[in-house]
Amino acid sequence: MVRLSTIVVIIGIALVCTYAQEELYDNKYDDMDVIAIMVNDKLRNQYYKCFMETGPCATGDAKFFKEIFAEALQSKCKRCTEKQKKMLDDIVGWYTENKPAEWQTIVEKSIEDLKKKNAGK
């Protein structure tokens, strides 16, 4: 009987650890209208400059998405909420259709950021 309860505890701990590894990003900014940002040159350029580190990140949402973007892109949004997955799809779609050179720069920056992050581990 003791062995069975020990096994149950071990399985429970494993499940908790697995869940913790798959924790989703904060959903605080899930109601953003990314299409409205994409079609507004001034707003889009502010977010782009924030991400590229050529301008300030003027809003909390810009800072948040800058922090998670490279990982989300690389992992195909593994830790994203459903709304964040939709937002990423919208951003990728808009950029690849309308600003492919800028999109290429974003992808290259994301790869560079991930390399730096992994080198620091």
Side-chain angles (χ1 to χ4, degrees), residues 54-69:
T54 59
C57 296
T59 62
D61 60 323
K63 291 173 190 170
F64 170 75
F65 285 111
K66 180 186 180 299
E67 289 297 317
I68 69 165
F69 190 81

Side-chain angles (χ1 to χ4, degrees), residues 25 67-77 79 114 117:
Y25 298 126
E67 289 297 317
I68 69 165
F69 190 81
E71 179 186 53
L73 188 62
Q74 183 270 337
S75 71
K76 298 181 183 164
C77 241
R79 294 181 49 207
L114 286 172
K117 184 178 179 180

Side-chain angles (χ1 to χ4, degrees), residues 2-120:
V2 173
R3 288 183 183 168
L4 180 59
S5 62
T6 303
I7 291 171
V8 170
V9 169
I10 291 171
I11 291 172
I13 291 170
L15 289 173
V16 168
C17 290
T18 300
Y19 177 74
Q21 291 174 353
E22 299 298 324
E23 187 175 319
L24 299 178
Y25 298 126
D26 191 340
N27 66 354
K28 183 176 182 178
Y29 301 108
D30 277 11
D31 292 322
M32 288 178 50
D33 185 352
V34 294
I35 296 299
I37 294 168
M38 294 292 99
V39 299
N40 181 312
D41 290 343
K42 183 178 178 181
L43 284 176
R44 184 185 65 255
N45 287 331
Q46 285 176 350
Y47 281 85
Y48 181 80
K49 288 178 181 180
C50 165
F51 181 78
M52 297 305 295
E53 298 176 343
T54 59
C57 296
T59 62
D61 60 323
K63 291 173 190 170
F64 170 75
F65 285 111
K66 180 186 180 299
E67 289 297 317
I68 69 165
F69 190 81
E71 179 186 53
L73 188 62
Q74 183 270 337
S75 71
K76 298 181 183 164
C77 241
K78 185 177 182 179
R79 294 181 49 207
C80 295
T81 65
E82 289 305 313
K83 288 183 179 181
Q84 290 166 354
K85 288 177 185 177
K86 171 80 168 95
M87 285 190 276
L88 183 63
D89 286 345
D90 289 345
I91 292 167
V92 171
W94 190 93
Y95 266 105
T96 56
E97 185 176 319
N98 297 287
K99 298 277 187 180
E102 284 185 11
W103 178 246
Q104 184 61 37
T105 304
I106 290 170
V107 170
E108 289 168 2
K109 174 84 165 75
S110 296
I111 292 168
E112 178 184 314
D113 289 350
L114 286 172
K115 285 180 182 177
K116 286 179 187 175
K117 184 178 179 180
N118 290 331

